Amino acid sequence: MGVPFKQIVVYLDGSESSMTAIMYGIKLAKEHDAKLTAVYVVNTRALSELVKAGIFVAVERDEYQRDLQLDADRYLRHASRLAEQKKVVIDTVKLEGTVHVVMKDLLKSQRADLLVLGGLTDIRSRREELTSETDRMMRTSPCPVLVVRDDDDIWLEFEA
């Protein structure tokens, strides 16, 4: 089966593809008896850019950041419940900052063998910033990166 993974990190951003990624990460962690960590990074750099560009005033930024914190908590709780269903131990980590920079540091400190990411989308929207961060994570990761395609088979397999 090749080299077993010991430390798997899954990046969550609230997208459906990142939910597929956590399911796949749970499956891999179970198969390899690996340590699993789900990470959500609140992108404070993007928020600061919005204020600098005059799109947000500071009050709006703070409110939006609170919403993002609540989203992060919700997605990390969901990841924990999914792991629990499959009897896989999971650590959840919520961080803030510039996503690819914070993730690179975390991957190094955790000595991660594998970073699991949700598939990239073509949607040109608010998620574009997240997508470009995902792209940067793929290019700067100190460990191998697995990009999970958003695939119904993974959902079906997970439910089985």
Side-chain angles (χ1 to χ4, degrees), residues 14-153:
S15 65
E16 192 170 314
S17 63
S18 77
M19 290 296 106
T20 306
I22 191 62
M23 288 179 194
Y24 201 80
I26 290 165
K27 180 180 172 306
L28 279 177
K30 194 171 179 85
E31 285 171 7
H32 290 263
D33 194 25
K35 194 168 182 292
L36 179 65
T37 305
V39 184
Y40 194 112
V41 181
V42 176
N43 192 341
T44 51
R45 197 201 96 238
L47 289 173
S48 298
E49 297 295 320
L50 291 171
V51 172
K52 244 189 272 175
I55 294 167
F56 274 5
V57 292
V59 174
E60 289 173 312
R61 180 201 56 210
D62 296 346
E63 197 173 301
Y64 191 59
Q65 189 166 345
R66 266 193 307 277
D67 290 346
L68 290 176
Q69 294 280 358
L70 293 171
D71 280 352
D73 293 338
R74 196 170 66 244
Y75 288 111
L76 290 169
R77 270 196 311 274
H78 186 62
S80 292
R81 282 195 300 272
L82 290 173
E84 213 173 272
Q85 269 177 37
K86 297 294 176 186
K87 296 179 176 36
V88 169
V89 176
I90 189 171
D91 284 334
T92 57
V93 179
K94 180 172 68 172
L95 300 168
E96 290 185 9
T98 303
V99 179
H100 71 280
V101 174
V102 171
M103 284 300 294
K104 186 177 178 182
D105 291 344
L106 176 112
L107 292 166
K108 282 180 180 172
S109 72
Q110 297 255 338
R111 291 189 173 87
D113 303 303
L114 183 68
L115 169 61
V116 182
L117 298 172
L120 300 175
T121 55
D122 300 330
I123 301 164
R124 300 275 175 226
S125 68
R126 212 179 72 191
R127 293 228 177 265
E128 201 164 20
E129 180 63 30
L130 297 174
T131 304
S132 66
E133 284 296 339
T134 302
D135 185 61
R136 286 187 194 118
M137 272 189 279
M138 285 193 297
R139 286 188 275 114
T140 61
S141 173
C143 65
V145 178
L146 174 67
V147 178
V148 179
R149 280 196 25 242
D150 207 6
D151 194 338
D152 290 341
D153 293 347

